[in-house]
Amino acid sequence: PRTAGLFAEAILPNMDTTLEWEAVIAKHALKSDHDVGNNSMFFIHYTSQGAKQINVYKQPWCHLRWGKIQADRYLSPSPKGAFIVRKGPLQGEFVLSVQTGIRVCHVLLKAVQRHEGPVLYNIYPTPQWFQSLYDLVLFCSYQPFYFNALDSSNEITLSLEASSKAHKLNRALKVKNAAATQLPLAKDDDNDDN
């Protein structure tokens, strides 16, 4: 699978250099009913050079103040693969809301932290853990992940292009709605003159 130049470290049981991260992730995975048997493998994607130059919070797909209802309204008319990232229920967690082509689905991006070190984000139940939300989004635009709740194909790939179209579509709808709310006032004024 293509990783868009991201550096990933495979976490295997009993590796001395990564044992501490493995313990943190395994503890989280056990809480999440992840299968963490002897064959389990986790991948940590460290922050890429590209992600270091990007302010995630200024991306058109980042809407931290939005809730589920706003995400649904925004993504419902959008093309398949359009997505937003918004704040999750717990501090430091995020939710990925995605137009799957069938409906809008929401998945929690779990966050774990080792001591005072960096936070890692995960799309449950994938084995991929990311130090950067930007890298997570980029990875998921190349590598599909699965929504178990979907009726037909449960595979989804994020699309930066579809998210850009969603952003433009919603801007156009805002302009149209603003104009529409002014039209009845102008029309009533015209009727009063007759």
Side-chain angles (χ1 to χ4, degrees), residues 121-149:
Y121 301 99
N122 168 259
I123 298 178
Y124 177 78
T126 71
Q128 311 293 334
W129 292 81
F130 297 85
Q131 203 172 20
S132 157
L133 286 174
Y134 180 78
D135 288 336
L136 181 148
V137 163
L138 192 61
F139 182 85
C140 292
S141 70
Y142 292 102
Q143 181 67 38
F145 62 98
Y146 299 91
F147 278 114
N148 295 330

mmCIF file of all heavy atoms in Angstrom, residues 121-149:
data_model
loop_
_atom_site.group_PDB
_atom_site.id
_atom_site.type_symbol
_atom_site.label_atom_id
_atom_site.label_comp_id
_atom_site.label_asym_id
_atom_site.label_seq_id
_atom_site.Cartn_x
_atom_site.Cartn_y
_atom_site.Cartn_z
ATOM 1 N N TYR A 121 -2.999 9.262 17.099
ATOM 2 C CA TYR A 121 -4.404 9.146 16.714
ATOM 3 C C TYR A 121 -4.613 7.876 15.903
ATOM 4 O O TYR A 121 -3.764 7.489 15.111
ATOM 5 C CB TYR A 121 -4.834 10.353 15.885
ATOM 6 C CG TYR A 121 -4.650 11.653 16.617
ATOM 7 C CD1 TYR A 121 -3.542 12.451 16.378
ATOM 8 C CD2 TYR A 121 -5.565 12.059 17.576
ATOM 9 C CE1 TYR A 121 -3.360 13.641 17.063
ATOM 10 C CE2 TYR A 121 -5.388 13.242 18.262
ATOM 11 C CZ TYR A 121 -4.290 14.028 18.011
ATOM 12 O OH TYR A 121 -4.109 15.195 18.694
ATOM 13 N N ASN A 122 -5.774 7.252 16.093
ATOM 14 C CA ASN A 122 -6.092 5.988 15.448
ATOM 15 C C ASN A 122 -7.530 5.991 14.968
ATOM 16 O O ASN A 122 -8.418 6.459 15.666
ATOM 17 C CB ASN A 122 -5.886 4.847 16.456
ATOM 18 C CG ASN A 122 -6.450 3.528 15.984
ATOM 19 O OD1 ASN A 122 -7.519 3.134 16.413
ATOM 20 N ND2 ASN A 122 -5.734 2.846 15.133
ATOM 21 N N ILE A 123 -7.747 5.458 13.747
ATOM 22 C CA ILE A 123 -9.112 5.189 13.278
ATOM 23 C C ILE A 123 -9.411 3.755 13.678
ATOM 24 O O ILE A 123 -8.848 2.824 13.104
ATOM 25 C CB ILE A 123 -9.249 5.339 11.758
ATOM 26 C CG1 ILE A 123 -8.950 6.763 11.330
ATOM 27 C CG2 ILE A 123 -10.646 4.928 11.307
ATOM 28 C CD1 ILE A 123 -9.007 6.982 9.846
ATOM 29 N N TYR A 124 -10.252 3.580 14.669
ATOM 30 C CA TYR A 124 -10.588 2.251 15.149
ATOM 31 C C TYR A 124 -11.327 1.490 14.056
ATOM 32 O O TYR A 124 -12.196 2.068 13.415
ATOM 33 C CB TYR A 124 -11.456 2.361 16.409
ATOM 34 C CG TYR A 124 -11.898 1.030 16.927
ATOM 35 C CD1 TYR A 124 -11.027 0.251 17.651
ATOM 36 C CD2 TYR A 124 -13.170 0.552 16.677
ATOM 37 C CE1 TYR A 124 -11.421 -0.990 18.119
ATOM 38 C CE2 TYR A 124 -13.568 -0.682 17.136
ATOM 39 C CZ TYR A 124 -12.690 -1.443 17.855
ATOM 40 O OH TYR A 124 -13.074 -2.671 18.313
ATOM 41 N N PRO A 125 -11.052 0.254 13.738
ATOM 42 C CA PRO A 125 -10.134 -0.658 14.380
ATOM 43 C C PRO A 125 -8.844 -0.891 13.580
ATOM 44 O O PRO A 125 -8.306 -1.984 13.580
ATOM 45 C CB PRO A 125 -10.946 -1.939 14.446
ATOM 46 C CG PRO A 125 -11.713 -1.938 13.162
ATOM 47 C CD PRO A 125 -11.991 -0.475 12.872
ATOM 48 N N THR A 126 -8.348 0.094 12.878
ATOM 49 C CA THR A 126 -7.131 -0.105 12.086
ATOM 50 C C THR A 126 -5.905 -0.192 12.992
ATOM 51 O O THR A 126 -5.917 0.328 14.101
ATOM 52 C CB THR A 126 -6.918 1.041 11.074
ATOM 53 O OG1 THR A 126 -6.548 2.218 11.784
ATOM 54 C CG2 THR A 126 -8.160 1.306 10.245
ATOM 55 N N PRO A 127 -4.827 -0.795 12.511
ATOM 56 C CA PRO A 127 -3.596 -0.865 13.307
ATOM 57 C C PRO A 127 -2.701 0.359 13.106
ATOM 58 O O PRO A 127 -1.588 0.392 13.592
ATOM 59 C CB PRO A 127 -2.914 -2.132 12.769
ATOM 60 C CG PRO A 127 -3.343 -2.194 11.341
ATOM 61 C CD PRO A 127 -4.752 -1.649 11.320
ATOM 62 N N GLN A 128 -3.194 1.371 12.387
ATOM 63 C CA GLN A 128 -2.391 2.547 12.061
ATOM 64 C C GLN A 128 -2.561 3.629 13.126
ATOM 65 O O GLN A 128 -3.678 4.004 13.453
ATOM 66 C CB GLN A 128 -2.811 3.128 10.700
ATOM 67 C CG GLN A 128 -2.902 2.117 9.583
ATOM 68 C CD GLN A 128 -1.575 1.519 9.193
ATOM 69 O OE1 GLN A 128 -0.527 2.127 9.373
ATOM 70 N NE2 GLN A 128 -1.597 0.311 8.658
ATOM 71 N N TRP A 129 -1.437 4.143 13.636
ATOM 72 C CA TRP A 129 -1.440 5.214 14.635
ATOM 73 C C TRP A 129 -0.618 6.368 14.089
ATOM 74 O O TRP A 129 0.467 6.154 13.554
ATOM 75 C CB TRP A 129 -0.843 4.711 15.947
ATOM 76 C CG TRP A 129 -1.741 3.696 16.593
ATOM 77 C CD1 TRP A 129 -1.837 2.379 16.278
ATOM 78 C CD2 TRP A 129 -2.685 3.938 17.622
ATOM 79 N NE1 TRP A 129 -2.787 1.782 17.072
ATOM 80 C CE2 TRP A 129 -3.314 2.717 17.910
ATOM 81 C CE3 TRP A 129 -3.043 5.068 18.350
ATOM 82 C CZ2 TRP A 129 -4.299 2.592 18.879
ATOM 83 C CZ3 TRP A 129 -4.019 4.936 19.322
ATOM 84 C CH2 TRP A 129 -4.640 3.715 19.570
ATOM 85 N N PHE A 130 -1.125 7.581 14.201
ATOM 86 C CA PHE A 130 -0.504 8.745 13.578
ATOM 87 C C PHE A 130 -0.197 9.824 14.600
ATOM 88 O O PHE A 130 -1.021 10.131 15.460
ATOM 89 C CB PHE A 130 -1.441 9.332 12.507
ATOM 90 C CG PHE A 130 -1.695 8.384 11.389
ATOM 91 C CD1 PHE A 130 -2.688 7.427 11.470
ATOM 92 C CD2 PHE A 130 -0.921 8.425 10.248
ATOM 93 C CE1 PHE A 130 -2.917 6.539 10.445
ATOM 94 C CE2 PHE A 130 -1.137 7.541 9.207
ATOM 95 C CZ PHE A 130 -2.139 6.592 9.303
ATOM 96 N N GLN A 131 0.965 10.419 14.449
ATOM 97 C CA GLN A 131 1.367 11.522 15.309
ATOM 98 C C GLN A 131 0.753 12.830 14.803
ATOM 99 O O GLN A 131 0.702 13.809 15.533
ATOM 100 C CB GLN A 131 2.888 11.615 15.315
ATOM 101 C CG GLN A 131 3.467 12.306 16.503
ATOM 102 C CD GLN A 131 4.975 12.186 16.523
ATOM 103 O OE1 GLN A 131 5.628 11.911 15.506
ATOM 104 N NE2 GLN A 131 5.558 12.386 17.679
ATOM 105 N N SER A 132 0.252 12.842 13.576
ATOM 106 C CA SER A 132 -0.297 14.046 12.961
ATOM 107 C C SER A 132 -1.650 13.735 12.331
ATOM 108 O O SER A 132 -1.802 12.749 11.606
ATOM 109 C CB SER A 132 0.671 14.557 11.885
ATOM 110 O OG SER A 132 0.015 15.351 10.944
ATOM 111 N N LEU A 133 -2.650 14.598 12.578
ATOM 112 C CA LEU A 133 -3.952 14.437 11.930
ATOM 113 C C LEU A 133 -3.824 14.585 10.413
ATOM 114 O O LEU A 133 -4.509 13.905 9.648
ATOM 115 C CB LEU A 133 -4.951 15.459 12.461
ATOM 116 C CG LEU A 133 -5.480 15.202 13.866
ATOM 117 C CD1 LEU A 133 -6.350 16.365 14.324
ATOM 118 C CD2 LEU A 133 -6.263 13.907 13.922
ATOM 119 N N TYR A 134 -2.949 15.468 9.979
ATOM 120 C CA TYR A 134 -2.736 15.664 8.543
ATOM 121 C C TYR A 134 -2.236 14.366 7.901
ATOM 122 O O TYR A 134 -2.720 13.962 6.844
ATOM 123 C CB TYR A 134 -1.750 16.807 8.299
ATOM 124 C CG TYR A 134 -1.492 17.062 6.836
ATOM 125 C CD1 TYR A 134 -2.412 17.764 6.061
ATOM 126 C CD2 TYR A 134 -0.336 16.594 6.221
ATOM 127 C CE1 TYR A 134 -2.186 17.989 4.715
ATOM 128 C CE2 TYR A 134 -0.104 16.820 4.873
ATOM 129 C CZ TYR A 134 -1.037 17.518 4.129
ATOM 130 O OH TYR A 134 -0.810 17.747 2.800
ATOM 131 N N ASP A 135 -1.281 13.711 8.528
ATOM 132 C CA ASP A 135 -0.763 12.453 7.993
ATOM 133 C C ASP A 135 -1.832 11.362 8.004
ATOM 134 O O ASP A 135 -1.905 10.545 7.092
ATOM 135 C CB ASP A 135 0.470 11.998 8.769
ATOM 136 C CG ASP A 135 1.695 12.853 8.471
ATOM 137 O OD1 ASP A 135 1.746 13.477 7.389
ATOM 138 O OD2 ASP A 135 2.596 12.898 9.326
ATOM 139 N N LEU A 136 -2.677 11.342 9.015
ATOM 140 C CA LEU A 136 -3.777 10.387 9.074
ATOM 141 C C LEU A 136 -4.702 10.589 7.876
ATOM 142 O O LEU A 136 -5.059 9.639 7.180
ATOM 143 C CB LEU A 136 -4.544 10.549 10.389
ATOM 144 C CG LEU A 136 -5.717 9.608 10.622
ATOM 145 C CD1 LEU A 136 -5.851 9.330 12.113
ATOM 146 C CD2 LEU A 136 -7.010 10.168 10.100
ATOM 147 N N VAL A 137 -5.080 11.834 7.625
ATOM 148 C CA VAL A 137 -5.960 12.160 6.502
ATOM 149 C C VAL A 137 -5.289 11.779 5.181
ATOM 150 O O VAL A 137 -5.910 11.167 4.305
ATOM 151 C CB VAL A 137 -6.333 13.662 6.533
ATOM 152 C CG1 VAL A 137 -6.879 14.132 5.206
ATOM 153 C CG2 VAL A 137 -7.321 13.932 7.660
ATOM 154 N N LEU A 138 -4.032 12.132 5.031
ATOM 155 C CA LEU A 138 -3.308 11.826 3.800
ATOM 156 C C LEU A 138 -3.218 10.311 3.582
ATOM 157 O O LEU A 138 -3.471 9.815 2.476
ATOM 158 C CB LEU A 138 -1.909 12.443 3.854
ATOM 159 C CG LEU A 138 -1.127 12.461 2.560
ATOM 160 C CD1 LEU A 138 -1.859 13.276 1.495
ATOM 161 C CD2 LEU A 138 0.248 13.053 2.795
ATOM 162 N N PHE A 139 -2.892 9.578 4.622
ATOM 163 C CA PHE A 139 -2.805 8.122 4.528
ATOM 164 C C PHE A 139 -4.148 7.532 4.097
ATOM 165 O O PHE A 139 -4.206 6.653 3.231
ATOM 166 C CB PHE A 139 -2.377 7.539 5.878
ATOM 167 C CG PHE A 139 -2.221 6.049 5.876
ATOM 168 C CD1 PHE A 139 -1.032 5.467 5.455
ATOM 169 C CD2 PHE A 139 -3.244 5.223 6.302
ATOM 170 C CE1 PHE A 139 -0.875 4.088 5.453
ATOM 171 C CE2 PHE A 139 -3.097 3.844 6.304
ATOM 172 C CZ PHE A 139 -1.914 3.278 5.874
ATOM 173 N N CYS A 140 -5.231 8.011 4.691
ATOM 174 C CA CYS A 140 -6.572 7.483 4.394
ATOM 175 C C CYS A 140 -7.090 7.945 3.035
ATOM 176 O O CYS A 140 -8.125 7.477 2.578
ATOM 177 C CB CYS A 140 -7.550 7.849 5.499
ATOM 178 S SG CYS A 140 -7.181 7.012 7.040
ATOM 179 N N SER A 141 -6.377 8.864 2.393
ATOM 180 C CA SER A 141 -6.751 9.236 1.027
ATOM 181 C C SER A 141 -6.095 8.280 0.017
ATOM 182 O O SER A 141 -6.450 8.299 -1.157
ATOM 183 C CB SER A 141 -6.372 10.688 0.733
ATOM 184 O OG SER A 141 -4.980 10.855 0.655
ATOM 185 N N TYR A 142 -5.163 7.454 0.478
ATOM 186 C CA TYR A 142 -4.534 6.442 -0.368
ATOM 187 C C TYR A 142 -4.915 5.033 0.043
ATOM 188 O O TYR A 142 -4.992 4.144 -0.774
ATOM 189 C CB TYR A 142 -2.996 6.560 -0.304
ATOM 190 C CG TYR A 142 -2.477 7.810 -0.944
ATOM 191 C CD1 TYR A 142 -2.088 8.893 -0.166
ATOM 192 C CD2 TYR A 142 -2.376 7.920 -2.317
ATOM 193 C CE1 TYR A 142 -1.613 10.053 -0.749
ATOM 194 C CE2 TYR A 142 -1.903 9.078 -2.906
ATOM 195 C CZ TYR A 142 -1.522 10.136 -2.123
ATOM 196 O OH TYR A 142 -1.062 11.279 -2.700
ATOM 197 N N GLN A 143 -5.105 4.837 1.320
ATOM 198 C CA GLN A 143 -5.360 3.510 1.866
ATOM 199 C C GLN A 143 -6.780 3.460 2.423
ATOM 200 O O GLN A 143 -7.096 4.164 3.375
ATOM 201 C CB GLN A 143 -4.354 3.217 2.988
ATOM 202 C CG GLN A 143 -4.488 1.871 3.615
ATOM 203 C CD GLN A 143 -4.125 0.753 2.650
ATOM 204 O OE1 GLN A 143 -3.205 0.875 1.859
ATOM 205 N NE2 GLN A 143 -4.862 -0.335 2.719
ATOM 206 N N PRO A 144 -7.664 2.625 1.855
ATOM 207 C CA PRO A 144 -9.039 2.551 2.364
ATOM 208 C C PRO A 144 -9.092 2.020 3.795
ATOM 209 O O PRO A 144 -8.211 1.297 4.230
ATOM 210 C CB PRO A 144 -9.737 1.577 1.420
ATOM 211 C CG PRO A 144 -8.789 1.287 0.330
ATOM 212 C CD PRO A 144 -7.425 1.731 0.755
ATOM 213 N N PHE A 145 -10.129 2.411 4.493
ATOM 214 C CA PHE A 145 -10.421 1.819 5.790
ATOM 215 C C PHE A 145 -11.888 1.426 5.771
ATOM 216 O O PHE A 145 -12.583 1.641 4.780
ATOM 217 C CB PHE A 145 -10.062 2.762 6.951
ATOM 218 C CG PHE A 145 -10.816 4.048 6.958
ATOM 219 C CD1 PHE A 145 -11.936 4.218 7.754
ATOM 220 C CD2 PHE A 145 -10.409 5.118 6.175
ATOM 221 C CE1 PHE A 145 -12.635 5.407 7.765
ATOM 222 C CE2 PHE A 145 -11.103 6.311 6.181
ATOM 223 C CZ PHE A 145 -12.219 6.450 6.974
ATOM 224 N N TYR A 146 -12.372 0.809 6.836
ATOM 225 C CA TYR A 146 -13.686 0.187 6.801
ATOM 226 C C TYR A 146 -14.621 0.754 7.847
ATOM 227 O O TYR A 146 -14.229 1.007 8.976
ATOM 228 C CB TYR A 146 -13.557 -1.330 7.004
ATOM 229 C CG TYR A 146 -12.723 -1.943 5.912
ATOM 230 C CD1 TYR A 146 -11.351 -2.079 6.052
ATOM 231 C CD2 TYR A 146 -13.312 -2.345 4.731
ATOM 232 C CE1 TYR A 146 -10.577 -2.609 5.030
ATOM 233 C CE2 TYR A 146 -12.553 -2.876 3.705
ATOM 234 C CZ TYR A 146 -11.188 -3.005 3.863
ATOM 235 O OH TYR A 146 -10.435 -3.514 2.853
ATOM 236 N N PHE A 147 -15.889 0.949 7.422
ATOM 237 C CA PHE A 147 -16.976 1.282 8.336
ATOM 238 C C PHE A 147 -17.838 0.035 8.432
ATOM 239 O O PHE A 147 -18.502 -0.349 7.465
ATOM 240 C CB PHE A 147 -17.838 2.432 7.792
ATOM 241 C CG PHE A 147 -17.289 3.794 8.038
ATOM 242 C CD1 PHE A 147 -16.869 4.586 6.991
ATOM 243 C CD2 PHE A 147 -17.207 4.297 9.322
ATOM 244 C CE1 PHE A 147 -16.373 5.859 7.209
ATOM 245 C CE2 PHE A 147 -16.706 5.567 9.553
ATOM 246 C CZ PHE A 147 -16.293 6.342 8.488
ATOM 247 N N ASN A 148 -17.855 -0.593 9.581
ATOM 248 C CA ASN A 148 -18.645 -1.812 9.754
ATOM 249 C C ASN A 148 -20.138 -1.562 9.627
ATOM 250 O O ASN A 148 -20.890 -2.461 9.311
ATOM 251 C CB ASN A 148 -18.329 -2.461 11.105
ATOM 252 C CG ASN A 148 -16.897 -2.946 11.163
ATOM 253 O OD1 ASN A 148 -16.328 -3.319 10.155
ATOM 254 N ND2 ASN A 148 -16.305 -2.919 12.345
ATOM 255 N N ALA A 149 -20.589 -0.332 9.852
ATOM 256 C CA ALA A 149 -22.013 -0.022 9.864
ATOM 257 C C ALA A 149 -22.611 0.151 8.462
ATOM 258 O O ALA A 149 -23.818 0.249 8.326
ATOM 259 C CB ALA A 149 -22.264 1.249 10.676
#
